[in-house]
């Protein structure tokens, strides 16, 4: 398959995409914007939020499909802004706004798509921030290789949760879930040398830097990373800043021993700040 | 029973079959007791025990076999007993009746009148099963042997011609010829989608890959549907044989039956059948002396409705959460399915239809049905109809024929209002469209669908708004909650319908209902969300006046929606017997003996217990 391309129509223009690309990837390469919420480039397509729907014509039949997961294929005709697409996106935004009335990202999205504040009768809790995009669940599984959190319950009761709603025993405190959450529903608080993750109800001890004494990462993360590198874990470890500083100093020493200014030309030595 | 340990070639299979058939004929007489789940619930196992003991205690001139068979379909009248010779049909048989059946019928050859089926139309008792109107209008292809064989008995299945189709396919046909025969038959998926079976098989056969799978979808979950269950319980070998033939056709060597854990009897009979088939060499390596290998496993589902959806089903078998994946199609599961391998997933009924097609030919099968929908279909007939049960009828039959000829009309002489077809994701067909021929296209055109074959009959006492609310609450409960339109849209839609049934609806709500339904249909991830608005849209289309009565007049014409009705006592009809007073759980009925009673509307919870209790039609619904 490598190197193969497919040709299809995007908003009336013939475009080329690499085989295996989704419509969303092909559109981005062609400079066509398609809004997404649950999609994240580091993760497999999930197709849950339905915001990225586009109208796909195939064999004379027009259907709405999720651009984030639908593969670009020879002979398709894809439209990204038809009235049908806009209507669907608007309703999706309205539904998410009703669920999460106070999340800025959703409020902006709804406003941009012209959704009125009270367009739907059933209102979510003011503090509800989770749109169930599943990025946290997927990043934990796909990128970190853990399955510390997951979806629980089904239908309208669906939520993201650590097993049995208790502390997540498999959580290593990497905070990747916090990083990928688009709405701020997953939070990490560092306090008193401890890392608190919500809504996972999980608390992990942080390791302190043996040089500067600041707590910087959960011990479990470092053990996990050492495990990946098949290295033994040393609790007497440095925080990233101190480690860089140490490496920098070592390099400086080496360069002073040799000729001055031996860094490759064009690359400036970065200043380390603490 | 003389059975060889292994059936190594088609000739051995035929020899064994002849032996078994001769043995069956020598026995001369048999008692078949329906031991399907329904009849078991009403005492079938006690009836079997009574027959076994009663027959053993007597010296009879001929040997009489007692058979525990699968579901006969006429669940309304269970437990059912059929006696051979003569095909004598007894219904609602209890253990206490058995002695009389043995002495009167088996010994003296006389029927027990009171146990014969009473035809309400003619007022006459009917002796033979084939003359009972419920059976007379049916064309039983898949259910033909359900009432004749012991479900997990390979011997019984062989005696009725079982595995002849497999032998024929393996020794006389190439895989391509098998697919061609299915193509000629015009068989379409019986799970509801109606996808041409031969095309699915062809795609899978041509797909790249050495490992391929066949899967039987037995995740039947529609309320009131039990045809897949009855087939697996009553004739599991027919499903097995179909899967073997399918596996040969597509080039698969392994398969799964995905069956819900709530079907313990189906699982027990299926496991029995699989074990016996394996023991006799009909599963495993070198089947019937050919180079064909096949193994089959049961995968038990946890009872999630959404796992009937192909991609969710695949995930569930793979051991991950059973929810739909955004696997766009193509590639269909036939190209990339279970563990990424080409996989054919067919419904129980589809698999069971394969052996008769191979035996009698595609042409023969295609002679029944309509232009686009061939063969027969099994429907679960339930609701406000006299004869509930399973009916197998030719495609193209009208709803009216099913409800009035086979079903015996509406209970209590009431007026029919509509029929819900295709389960909770299907639609409501109003009385005016009852002459619609039942096939895939016609039902879809009417806004409903064939689905897995559920038929729920509704009379004038059914509120169509409440019905839509009920089905939507079901699909909402069963939605996995993954995609926004189904999860959030469904919740909003349900909220609006609840508002209307409480008398708090507004006319503009109907527009919002239409918009939400359209969004769910258009953009949901899987068929559950896309089809869930169907009951709402069809009731809105055909019964808009009922919606308006709830909204504008704050009235429920069928007298169902609690917030909109009042129970009152007609003082001229009330005799003061006190039954309603004692029945009322809220203490809302007041009155002294032999004086007309009154209902305190403040206390009344509108449960309807008084209405059911009253013997003088004095409780009225306003």
């Amino acid at each position: 398959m490598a190197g193969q391309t497919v040709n299809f129509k995007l908003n009336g223009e013939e475009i080329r995409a690499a085989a295996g690309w989704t419509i969303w990837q092909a559109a981005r390469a062609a400079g066509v914007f398609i809004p997404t919420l649950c999609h994240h480039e580091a993760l497999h397509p999930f197709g849950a939020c339905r915001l990225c729907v586009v109208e796909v014509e195939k064999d004379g039949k027009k259907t709405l499909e999720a651009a984030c997961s639908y593969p670009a294929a020879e002979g398709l005709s894809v439209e990204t802004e038809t009235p049908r697409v806009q209507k669907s996106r608007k309703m999706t935004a309205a539904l998410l706004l009703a669920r999460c009335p106070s999340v800025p990202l959703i409020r902006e999205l709804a406003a941009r798509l012209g959704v009125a504040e009270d367009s739907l009768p059933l209102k979510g809790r003011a503090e509800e921030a989770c749109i169930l995009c599943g990025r946290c669940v997927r990043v934990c599984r796909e990128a970190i290789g853990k399955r510390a959190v997951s979806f629980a319950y089904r239908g309208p009761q669906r939520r993201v949760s650590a097993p049995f709603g208790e502390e997540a025993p498999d959580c290593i405190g990497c905070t990747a879930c916090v990083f990928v959450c688009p709405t701020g529903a997953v939070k990490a608080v560092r306090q008193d040398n401890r890392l608190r993750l919500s809504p996972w109800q999980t608390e992990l001890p942080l390791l302190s830097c043996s040089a500067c004494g600041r707590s910087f990462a959960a011990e479990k993360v470092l053990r996990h990373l050492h495990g990946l590198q098949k290295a033994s874990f040393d609790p007497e470890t440095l925080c990233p800043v101190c480690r860089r500083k140490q490496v920098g100093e070592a390099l400086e020493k080496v360069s002073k021993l040799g000729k001055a200014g031996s860094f490759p030309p064009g690359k400036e030595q970065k200043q380390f700040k603490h | 029973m003389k059975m060889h340990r292994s059936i190594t070639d088609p000739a051995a299979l035929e020899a064994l079959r002849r032996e078994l058939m001769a043995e069956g004929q020598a026995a001369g007489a048999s008692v078949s007791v329906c031991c399907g789940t329904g009849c078991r619930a009403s005492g079938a196992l006690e009836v079997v025990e009574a027959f076994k003991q009663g027959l053993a205690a007597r010296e009879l001139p001929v040997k009489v076999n007692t058979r525990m068979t699968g579901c006969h379909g006429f669940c309304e009248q269970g437990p059912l007993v059929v006696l051979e010779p003569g095909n004598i049909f007894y219904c609602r048989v209890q253990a206490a009746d058995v002695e009389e059946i043995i002495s009167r019928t088996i010994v003296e050859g006389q029927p027990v009148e009171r146990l014969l089926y009473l035809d309400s139309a003619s007022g006459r008792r009917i002796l033979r099963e084939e003359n009972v109107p419920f059976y007379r209008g049916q064309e039983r292809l898949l259910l033909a042997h359900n009432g004749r064989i012991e479900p997990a008995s390979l011997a019984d299945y062989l005696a009725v011609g079982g595995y002849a189709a497999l032998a024929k396919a393996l020794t006389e046909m190439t895989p391509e010829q098998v697919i061609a025969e299915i193509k000629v038959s015009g068989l379409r998926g019986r799970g509801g989608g109606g996808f041409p079976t031969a095309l699915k098989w062809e795609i899978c056969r041509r797909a790249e890959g050495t490992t391929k799978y066949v899967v039987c979808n037995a995740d039947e979950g529609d309320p009131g549907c039990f045809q897949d269950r009855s087939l697996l319980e009553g004739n599991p070998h027919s499903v097995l044989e179909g899967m073997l033939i399918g596996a040969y056709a597509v080039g698969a060597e392994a398969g799964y039956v995905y069956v819900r854990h709530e079907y313990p009897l189906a699982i027990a009979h299926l496991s029995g059948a699989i074990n016996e088939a394996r023991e006799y060499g009909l599963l495993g390596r070198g089947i019937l002396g050919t180079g064909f290998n096949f193994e089959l496993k049961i995968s038990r589902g946890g009872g999630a409705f959404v796992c009937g959806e192909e991609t969710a089903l695949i995930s569930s078998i793979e051991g991950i959460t059973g929810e739909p994946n955004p696997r766009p199609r193509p590639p269909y599961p036939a190209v990339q399915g279970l563990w990424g391998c080409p996989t054919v997933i067919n419904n129980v009924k589809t698999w069971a239809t394969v052996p008769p097609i191979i035996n009698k030919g595609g042409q023969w099968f295609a002679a029944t049905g309509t232009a686009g929908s061939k063969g027969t279909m099994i429907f679960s007939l339930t609701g406000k109809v006299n004869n509930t049960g399973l009916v197998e009828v030719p495609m193209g039959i009208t709803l009216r024929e099913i409800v009035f000829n086979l079903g015996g009309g509406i209970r209590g002489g009431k007026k029919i209002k509509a029929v819900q077809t295709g389960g909770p994701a299907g639609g409501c067909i109003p009385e005016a469209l009852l002459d619609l021929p039942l096939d895939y296209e016609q039902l879809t055109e009417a806004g409903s669908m064939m689905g897995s074959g559920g038929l729920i009959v509704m009379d004038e006492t059914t509120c169509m708004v409440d019905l839509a609310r009920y089905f939507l609450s079901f699909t909402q409960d069963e939605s996995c909650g993954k995609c926004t339109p189904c999860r959030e849209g469904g919740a909003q839609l349900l909220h609006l319908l609840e508002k209307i049934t409480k008398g708090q609806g507004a006319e503009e709500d109907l527009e919002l209902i239409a918009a939400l339904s359209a969004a769910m249909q258009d953009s949901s991830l899987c068929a559950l969300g896309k089809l869930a608005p169907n009951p709402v849209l069809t009731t809105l289309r055909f019964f808009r006046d009922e919606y308006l009565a709830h909204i504008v007049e704050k009235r429920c014409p069928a007298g169902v929606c609690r917030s909109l009705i009042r129970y009152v006592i007609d003082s001229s009809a009330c005799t003061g017997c006190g039954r309603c007073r004692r029945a009322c759980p809220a203490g809302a009925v007041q009155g002294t003996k032999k004086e007309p009673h009154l209902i305190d509307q403040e206390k009344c919870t509108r449960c309807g217990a008084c209405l059911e209790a009253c013997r003088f039609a004095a409780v009225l619904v306003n």
Side-chain angles (χ1 to χ4, degrees):
Chain A
M1 289 283 255
Q4 281 183 18
T5 58
V6 294
N7 299 300
F8 72 101
K9 251 190 201 157
L10 185 72
N11 293 339
E13 274 180 49
E14 201 67 44
I15 69 161
R16 241 154 69 106
W21 275 6
T22 62
I23 289 178
W24 183 82
Q25 284 173 310
R28 187 188 52 173
V32 174
F33 173 73
I34 298 173
T36 57
L37 273 178
C38 70
H39 187 61
H40 192 285
E41 276 189 85
L43 305 171
H44 287 125
F46 195 52
C49 74
R50 314 310 281 174
L51 192 69
C52 69
V53 288
V54 291
E55 200 164 348
V56 176
E57 186 178 347
K58 189 171 167 276
D59 306 328
K61 258 174 82 178
K62 285 185 181 178
T63 51
L64 286 192
E65 303 290 351
C68 73
S69 55
Y70 200 95
E74 199 68 40
L76 295 182
S77 176
V78 179
E79 292 283 341
T80 63
E81 294 295 335
T82 62
R84 187 178 171 192
V85 167
Q86 286 167 345
K87 205 169 135 193
S88 171
R89 264 184 213 154
K90 193 173 164 183
M91 182 59 89
T92 301
L95 289 166
L96 290 172
L97 181 67
R99 177 188 172 86
C100 305
S102 37
V103 171
L105 176 80
I106 303 297
R107 295 188 65 81
E108 270 165 45
L109 174 81
R112 184 149 46 85
L113 293 172
V115 176
E117 185 78 31
D118 286 315
S119 61
L120 293 168
L122 198 60
K123 294 277 177 301
R125 295 174 298 130
E127 66 274 20
E128 180 62 79
C130 177
I131 55 167
L132 296 167
C133 66
R135 282 187 182 185
C136 51
V137 174
R138 290 179 288 145
V139 79
C140 189
R141 187 168 60 202
E142 294 174 21
I144 309 302
K146 297 283 171 187
R147 287 165 183 258
V149 296
S150 181
F151 286 107
Y153 303 95
R154 64 187 185 208
Q157 277 75 45
R158 185 173 168 102
R159 67 194 73 153
V160 287
S161 167
F164 309 107
E166 293 173 358
E167 198 158 353
D170 290 344
C171 176
I172 55 170
C174 69
T175 66
C177 49
V178 181
F179 180 73
V180 294
C181 178
T183 60
V186 186
K187 290 190 194 78
V189 177
R190 287 176 179 81
Q191 205 180 25
D192 306 332
N193 279 355
R194 293 186 78 77
L195 174 71
R196 288 189 190 84
L197 288 156
S198 60
W200 317 132
Q201 302 184 35
T202 298
E203 231 187 88
L204 291 162
L206 290 168
L207 210 65
S208 298
C209 175
S210 54
C212 69
R214 293 200 330 168
S215 58
F216 65 98
E219 188 182 319
K220 275 187 169 180
V221 168
L222 294 177
R223 284 188 182 275
H224 177 70
L225 292 172
H226 278 85
L228 289 180
Q229 293 169 339
K230 298 195 167 53
S232 59
F233 173 67
D234 178 10
E236 292 290 313
T237 191
L238 297 172
C239 72
V241 179
C242 290
R243 198 175 64 247
R244 261 181 250 141
K245 198 171 155 191
Q246 201 184 52
V247 172
E249 281 165 2
L251 281 174
E252 212 165 352
K253 219 180 262 172
V254 172
S255 67
K256 274 181 187 154
L257 286 175
K259 283 175 203 165
S262 66
F263 279 96
K267 281 196 181 170
E268 294 296 308
Q269 187 181 356
K270 278 189 186 138
Q271 288 293 308
F272 293 109
K273 277 185 197 154
H274 208 234
Chain B
M1 200 136 308
K2 282 180 286 175
M3 278 188 60
H4 310 283
R5 272 293 119 189
S6 194
I7 305 166
T8 47
D9 57 73
L13 179 75
E14 284 315 310
L16 179 60
R17 189 194 316 285
R18 276 196 298 276
E19 241 173 81
L20 290 166
M21 285 168 88
E23 218 171 277
Q25 274 154 11
S30 72
V31 176
S32 299
V33 182
C34 174
C35 292
T37 296
C39 284
R40 276 180 190 225
S42 41
L45 294 184
E46 288 79 5
V47 174
V48 172
E49 208 37 53
F51 267 113
K52 281 188 176 160
Q53 286 180 7
L55 290 168
R58 277 166 201 266
E59 289 284 323
L60 292 171
V62 287
K63 193 181 165 219
V64 181
N65 283 333
T66 308
R67 257 198 205 107
M68 293 170 65
T69 72
C71 178
H72 294 212
F74 202 0
C75 311
E76 179 78 36
Q77 297 285 332
L80 307 172
V81 173
V82 177
L83 294 156
E84 293 288 357
N87 209 15
I88 297 163
F89 180 71
Y90 289 137
C91 42
R92 298 206 165 128
V93 178
Q94 291 300 312
D97 303 320
V98 169
E99 201 38 52
E100 193 181 350
I101 295 176
I102 296 175
S103 56
R104 286 282 292 158
T105 314
I106 297 177
V107 177
E108 296 169 23
Q110 296 297 318
V112 181
E113 277 289 321
R114 65 181 177 85
L115 294 174
L116 293 175
Y117 175 72
L118 178 68
D119 181 30
S120 56
S122 63
R124 294 230 304 269
R125 301 244 172 218
I126 295 172
L127 180 66
R128 294 176 207 283
E129 188 187 51
E130 70 261 26
N131 294 331
V132 173
F134 179 77
Y135 291 107
R136 204 170 49 210
Q138 296 193 39
E139 211 164 288
R140 295 194 144 203
L141 175 65
L142 303 187
L143 296 174
H145 303 305
N146 251 32
R148 303 281 176 271
I149 60 173
E150 294 234 2
S153 158
L154 179 61
D156 275 17
Y157 185 63
L158 291 177
V160 296
Y163 290 106
L166 176 68
K168 184 177 173 185
L170 292 187
T171 56
E172 296 169 28
M173 300 167 87
T174 63
E176 287 78 10
Q177 282 171 324
V178 172
I179 294 174
E181 202 61 53
I182 301 293
K183 190 174 265 176
V184 170
S185 78
L187 176 63
R188 292 169 67 177
R190 295 293 193 245
F195 192 82
T197 305
L199 187 57
K200 200 185 260 186
W201 290 15
E202 207 166 21
I203 294 169
C204 184
R205 167 142 203 97
R206 288 192 187 150
E208 280 174 45
T210 46
T211 307
K212 293 177 184 180
Y213 294 99
V214 289
V215 174
C216 173
N217 184 348
D219 191 54
E220 186 176 52
D222 291 359
C225 266
F226 52 105
Q227 52 272 69
D228 293 351
R229 173 185 209 155
S230 291
L231 265 177
L232 282 180
E233 284 179 6
N235 195 354
H237 277 292
S238 68
V239 181
L240 228 79
E241 188 180 1
M243 291 185 77
L244 277 157
I245 296 168
Y248 171 70
V250 304
E253 295 202 342
Y256 285 86
V257 181
Y258 186 84
V259 55
R260 45 200 296 130
H261 190 64
E262 292 96 322
Y263 283 5
L265 194 61
I267 293 171
H269 288 180
L270 186 65
S271 324
I274 290 175
N275 289 339
E276 215 180 357
R278 192 177 289 132
E279 208 176 310
Y280 287 93
L282 292 167
L283 278 177
R285 302 197 67 80
I287 295 167
L288 289 176
T290 67
F292 174 58
N293 312 318
F294 186 68
E295 255 314 327
L296 191 61
K297 273 187 185 166
I298 296 175
S299 179
R300 287 184 292 182
F305 183 69
V306 76
C307 284
E309 196 276 338
E310 285 188 330
T311 56
L313 186 148
I314 289 171
S315 297
S316 184
I317 294 181
E318 286 174 355
I320 50 183
T321 313
E323 55 190 43
N325 286 321
R327 302 188 186 182
R329 300 148 190 230
Y332 290 95
V335 176
Q336 215 177 82
L338 199 53
W339 290 297
C341 301
T343 304
V344 163
I345 304 174
N346 278 140
N347 173 267
V348 176
K349 297 180 285 290
T350 317
W351 289 121
T353 313
V354 171
I357 292 175
I358 297 301
N359 272 328
K360 298 180 185 174
Q363 295 273 4
W364 163 84
F365 184 81
T368 307
T370 64
S373 309
K374 302 295 186 193
T376 59
M377 176 75 188
I378 308 176
F379 290 100
S380 300
L381 189 58
T382 55
K384 308 279 181 73
V385 65
N386 276 315
N387 304 333
T388 57
L390 287 186
V391 294
E392 185 172 357
V393 288
M395 291 278 192
I397 192 173
T398 66
L399 275 172
R400 196 180 296 281
E401 280 174 82
I402 295 183
V403 174
F404 290 95
N405 296 355
L406 307 177
I410 306 301
R411 229 168 245 195
K414 290 204 170 75
K415 210 172 151 308
I416 187 169
K417 192 187 237 175
V419 180
Q420 171 85 12
T421 76
C428 224
I429 310 282
E431 204 259 338
L433 293 179
L434 284 188
D435 290 313
L436 194 81
L438 286 181
D439 73 7
Y440 292 103
E441 277 71 28
Q442 299 263 7
L443 280 172
T444 308
E445 215 166 281
S448 182
M449 61 172 194
M450 181 75 78
S452 192
L455 289 181
I456 303 172
V457 181
M458 284 150 306
D459 67 12
E460 54 201 306
T461 62
T462 311
C463 168
M464 303 316 271
V465 185
D466 184 60
L467 178 91
R469 184 203 56 78
Y470 165 74
F471 281 126
L472 198 71
S473 72
F474 176 87
T475 36
Q476 267 292 285
D477 257 3
E478 294 294 344
S479 158
C480 71
K482 179 170 175 173
C483 76
T484 313
C486 181
R487 180 188 68 234
E488 306 294 335
Q492 296 281 354
L493 202 51
L494 185 59
H495 174 76
L496 284 168
L497 289 172
E498 278 170 354
K499 237 176 89 183
I500 295 175
T501 56
K502 283 181 186 155
Q504 296 158 359
E507 264 186 81
E508 53 269 25
D509 287 346
L510 296 184
E511 279 166 45
L512 196 49
I513 286 177
L516 282 163
S517 301
M520 284 175 77
Q521 284 183 321
D522 224 12
S523 60
S524 290
L525 172 57
C526 84
L528 193 150
K530 283 182 198 289
L531 299 173
N534 272 351
V536 183
L537 289 173
T538 47
T539 50
L540 199 55
R541 177 167 151 197
F542 297 120
F543 299 96
R544 199 181 175 88
D545 52 333
E546 274 194 48
Y547 279 84
L548 289 173
H550 284 76
I551 293 169
V552 182
E553 300 164 42
K554 309 292 175 204
R555 186 173 67 83
C556 174
V560 172
C561 297
R562 285 189 187 190
S563 310
L564 301 179
I565 54 167
R566 277 156 49 99
Y567 288 97
V568 290
I569 293 176
D570 177 0
S571 57
S572 62
C574 179
T575 63
C577 72
R579 276 179 66 90
C580 57
R581 179 163 37 83
R582 287 189 295 275
C584 179
V589 184
Q590 289 151 7
T592 44
K593 234 179 176 180
K594 295 187 179 167
E595 300 270 333
H597 284 33
L598 267 175
I599 297 174
D600 181 348
Q601 298 298 334
E602 293 279 295
K603 284 187 183 167
C604 176
T605 60
R606 284 133 183 113
C607 68
C610 52
L611 181 73
E612 276 173 38
C614 183
R615 288 174 172 176
F616 306 98
V619 178
L620 307 174
V621 190
N622 282 348

